Amino acid sequence: MGLTFVNGSSSVGLNATVTSKSLRCISKSTNGFVYHGYSTVSKSRLNSSFDSKLNATMSSDLMKSHYPYVVVGGGVAAGYAAKEFVAQGVEKDSVLIVSKEAVAPYERPALSKAFLFADPPARLPGFHTSVGGGGERQAPEWYVEKGIHLLLDTEVSAVDVASKSITTGGGSKISADNLILATGASPVQLTMLPGSDLEGIYTLREYADGLELYDALKANEGKTVAVIGGGYIGMEVGAAAALMGVKVKMIFPEEHMMPRLFTAGIASKYEDVYRKKGIE
Ligand SMILES: Cc1cc2nc3c(=O)[nH]c(=O)nc-3n(C[C@H](O)[C@H](O)[C@H](O)COP(=O)(O)OP(=O)(O)OC[C@H]3O[C@@H](n4cnc5c(N)ncnc54)[C@H](O)[C@@H]3O)c2cc1C
């Protein structure tokens, strides 16, 4: 038997175990590997949207304390790095990906597109890496098959570059010959403004954010939503919200939409289209 995955536990880190919140367990043997999937109360919204084995994390007994390669972050770069490791013929069990997200790497751009407005909306495993770039779809079982270890739902709280080691939120240490930092970016939270902690404010970066935003838009049909930011993501979310029957007001400090890419002339064409669709 190869790797065993345990998912969705509210505890994090290498000592992650299934907690009393775990509701059920599934087992499936694929190429000699066994998954154990659990849905938890704490992540019920996330887990209810797809097969529970998709957010598998590795059980403590199979973790190693040292890897030739550790990737911190489990987003687009990590997914394509995994693909490249395999293409380069890196030995099995020599790569570990540690991700704060509870799902295996996926094509993040989908979150502001078919994830919101398609009918039915795109959901994992439909857009795992590397649907966008071509090649095999890297669903969780792909990582098992290729011998790439995924430690999900686990935040790295410290990176010691000198000793080439990381510490997880659970306090476990893992060392590596090579560290790849692929932690991406986070949305600006506007915490400098009063009211930024009120309910009903959403940002969009991760899969779980997307699920929350989708639910909120669905629940607010006919009501008004303010989309703050007039870049790609603001434009896409504004369009998706309008398609979902929400009244949209877009707010941005610049003269026109997409100021970093569009000239005023190009932007005005888009702004006309948006206005015709009822977006202010
Ligand atoms: C809604 C949306 C739509 C987009 N659309 C497009 C598009 O159409 N075209 C385009 O070219 N680009 C688009 N982008 C940008 C594109 O997704 C990013 O450029 C890309 O995701 C960057 O990849 P990355 O791996 O560097 O970071 P990310 O994909 O953000 O991955 C970072 C990962 O690291 C994890 N992480 C962060 N900190 C820690 C930590 N301390 N410990 C463990 N894990 C951690 C995060 O949870 C995340 O999983 C879009 C982005 C968003 C959010």
Side-chain angles (χ1 to χ4, degrees):
M1 188 175 74
L3 302 180
T4 300
F5 286 79
V6 179
N7 87 329
S9 165
S10 59
S11 57
V12 294
L14 300 183
N15 299 321
T17 50
V18 178
T19 68
S20 57
K21 289 181 176 174
S22 301
L23 300 178
R24 68 193 172 91
C25 169
I26 56 163
S27 291
K28 175 184 173 187
S29 181
T30 313
N31 298 332
F33 296 113
V34 175
Y35 303 98
H36 291 287
Y38 294 84
S39 61
T40 66
V41 173
S42 61
K43 291 197 181 295
S44 57
R45 178 64 189 90
L46 185 61
N47 285 334
S48 67
S49 65
F50 53 88
D51 188 321
S52 58
K53 74 179 164 58
L54 293 182
N55 59 346
T57 53
M58 183 170 288
S59 68
S60 51
D61 51 331
L62 291 159
M63 282 300 305
K64 301 196 293 179
S65 58
H66 180 87
Y67 285 84
Y69 303 95
V70 168
V71 183
V72 181
V76 173
Y80 281 91
K83 181 181 184 177
E84 190 57 26
F85 277 124
V86 170
Q88 299 272 339
V90 166
E91 266 182 39
K92 285 189 172 186
D93 305 326
S94 58
V95 179
L96 171 70
I97 295 174
V98 188
S99 182
K100 187 157 67 66
E101 286 193 78
V103 293
Y106 56 91
E107 306 285 7
R108 192 169 308 287
L111 293 181
S112 52
K113 302 175 182 65
F115 187 94
L116 293 179
F117 64 74
D119 187 18
R123 291 291 180 268
L124 292 176
F127 56 95
H128 277 297
T129 322
S130 49
V131 168
E136 292 178 285
R137 192 192 310 155
Q138 298 169 206
E141 47 270 45
W142 181 90
Y143 292 87
V144 176
E145 190 190 310
K146 305 296 182 193
I148 292 183
H149 294 195
L150 280 182
L151 184 58
L152 303 180
D153 205 5
T154 300
E155 185 158 15
V156 171
S157 55
V159 174
D160 184 344
V161 178
S163 68
K164 290 190 177 168
S165 67
I166 62 166
T167 307
T168 68
S172 302
K173 276 202 174 208
I174 306 162
S175 60
D177 298 325
N178 300 280
L179 275 178
I180 299 179
L181 293 182
T183 46
S186 359
V188 176
Q189 301 282 349
L190 298 182
T191 47
M192 71 298 273
L193 300 180
S196 63
D197 56 349
L198 289 173
E199 273 184 30
I201 299 176
Y202 301 88
T203 54
L204 181 58
R205 182 77 199 180
E206 302 194 343
Y207 193 76
D209 302 334
L211 291 173
E212 280 188 25
L213 179 62
Y214 178 85
D215 285 352
L217 291 173
K218 275 278 176 204
N220 283 287
E221 199 177 330
K223 295 190 185 158
T224 301
V225 65
V227 175
I228 301 177
Y232 269 127
I233 297 173
M235 285 180 71
E236 289 175 343
V237 170
L243 284 170
M244 290 167 80
V246 177
K247 292 178 194 150
V248 180
K249 285 184 195 286
M250 293 191 61
I251 302 168
F252 41 87
E254 297 89 0
E255 293 280 302
H256 56 76
M257 282 175 160
M258 291 285 292
R260 283 190 283 177
L261 191 66
F262 290 171
T263 61
I266 294 172
S268 79
K269 302 256 183 237
Y270 278 90
E271 287 172 3
D272 282 349
V273 172
Y274 272 56
R275 275 192 208 98
K276 282 184 188 139
K277 299 284 181 191
I279 297 174
E280 290 179 36

